[in-house]
Amino acid sequence: MKKGLIIVLVFVLSFGFLQVATNLTSQGETLTATAKGFGGDVTVTLIVDGDDIVSVTAVGASETQGIGSNAIDQLPALIADADSADVDGVSGATITSNAIKTAVRAALGIESAQEPAAPAEPAKETSAKPAEPAPEGALTATAKGFGGDVTVTVVVEGDDIVSVTAVGADETPGIGSNALEQLPGKIAEADSTDVDGVSGATYTSDAIKKAVEEALASKGAAAPAAEGALTGTAKGFGGDVTVTVTVDGDDILTVEAVGADETPGIGSNAIEQLPAKIVEADSTEVEVISGATYTSKAIIEAVNAALAAQ
């Protein structure tokens, strides 16, 4: 009798374990799909249970760090939480967000119109300015942005910046285009290029500021140099770097540097930061700007050349 009960009990337990194992293996089906992102392919992996999206992960090694990578990190959880790809994309990362959602729909076998990766043509407001001749007194200059040249037109009245417009047809729509639209107004309002760049559009922002500085410098170059002003030029990373130095006896009062061909966000940092260090130290024996050794050395060499000509 006992032996029979034991056999029955073992059978029941074995059946129960089999059912648990079957349930565990049937709770999730893994699906994958790929769509084109901003820098390359974006691949998603879904675990689904019937109509439920249990989890979503995304991989896109070529997406821009700090922009597309934000969508890779944040959007999958939003889709799993909503149990749908019909969620808002991550701000500033539209192309990567659309790629993730498209890949999720493809994995689920949902037919939908492909979300556009980017506008078919550059935003008209960034490529059509200015359509009319520049007003009298306008200054222009160009610097290298993320996708290509960025050109600014600056209208000045004395020392005041009256207006700034920027054009860069090759800058990324929805990212660099934001800087083209927003930053010129900030520069004109502040009457200076010493303003924060547009978030997520560092390269284009730096190009705009650098081009404005070049435009303003060209105005200064046309005017007679202040008494005691000295100039010097040296070869930087991308081209010539020119400095204007004002001295009073042996004291360095001011240093200004111009180098239109130096790399935005790298050499441009040296152009902006190193002159003040030289003035503060009253010497060219200062540390170079990290990551911008070539441009830093060019500024120092140009200042030494200017001082030698005194």
Side-chain angles (χ1 to χ4, degrees):
M1 180 70 175
K2 287 183 179 179
K3 186 175 181 180
L5 288 174
I6 291 172
I7 292 172
V8 171
L9 182 59
V10 169
F11 177 76
V12 170
L13 289 174
S14 299
F15 181 76
F17 282 127
L18 181 61
Q19 281 296 106
V20 170
T22 301
N23 288 339
L24 287 174
T25 56
S26 64
Q27 275 185 350
E29 179 185 2
T30 302
L31 307 170
T32 63
T34 298
K36 183 64 69 177
F38 179 78
D41 287 342
V42 173
T43 299
V44 299
T45 301
L46 286 70
I47 296 178
V48 297
D49 182 12
D51 293 330
D52 295 327
I53 300 175
V54 177
S55 69
V56 181
T57 57
V59 176
S62 301
E63 300 308 281
T64 307
Q65 287 299 312
I67 304 176
S69 64
N70 292 344
I72 295 286
D73 295 337
Q74 301 169 23
L75 195 60
L78 296 177
I79 292 172
D81 192 36
D83 212 27
S84 168
D86 293 329
V87 296
D88 291 336
V90 173
S91 178
T94 304
I95 298 174
T96 308
S97 296
N98 286 346
I100 293 170
K101 290 191 283 183
T102 298
V104 167
R105 293 190 182 106
L108 294 172
I110 299 172
E111 291 188 17
S112 62
Q114 180 85 9
E115 293 188 72
E121 54 184 300
K124 290 187 168 50
E125 56 266 26
T126 65
S127 60
K129 293 186 212 174
E132 53 195 49
E136 185 178 354
L139 309 167
T140 62
T142 298
K144 185 66 69 178
F146 182 79
D149 286 341
V150 172
T151 300
V152 300
T153 302
V154 186
V155 177
V156 296
E157 194 174 285
D159 293 330
D160 295 328
I161 300 175
V162 177
S163 69
V164 179
T165 57
V167 176
D170 296 320
E171 300 308 281
T172 308
I175 304 176
S177 64
N178 292 344
L180 294 171
E181 295 164 9
Q182 300 168 23
L183 197 59
K186 290 184 178 182
I187 292 172
E189 185 177 4
D191 207 28
S192 168
T193 57
D194 190 16
V195 296
D196 291 336
V198 173
S199 178
T202 303
Y203 279 98
T204 308
S205 297
D206 286 347
I208 293 169
K209 290 192 279 186
K210 175 52 58 183
V212 170
E213 288 166 5
E214 289 295 315
L216 295 174
S218 71
K219 174 180 180 290
E227 186 177 354
L230 309 166
T231 61
T233 299
K235 183 66 68 178
F237 182 78
D240 286 341
V241 173
T242 299
V243 300
T244 301
V245 185
T246 302
V247 298
D248 182 7
D250 293 331
D251 295 328
I252 300 174
L253 301 180
T254 65
V255 177
E256 295 179 357
V258 176
D261 296 318
E262 301 308 281
T263 309
I266 304 177
S268 64
N269 292 343
I271 296 285
E272 294 165 8
Q273 300 169 24
L274 196 61
K277 290 189 175 185
I278 293 172
V279 172
E280 186 177 4
D282 203 28
S283 168
T284 56
E285 294 182 5
V286 295
E287 291 185 1
V288 301
I289 300 301
S290 178
T293 304
Y294 280 98
T295 308
S296 296
K297 288 183 176 179
I299 293 169
I300 291 170
E301 184 181 339
V303 171
N304 285 337
L307 295 175
Q310 186 177 7

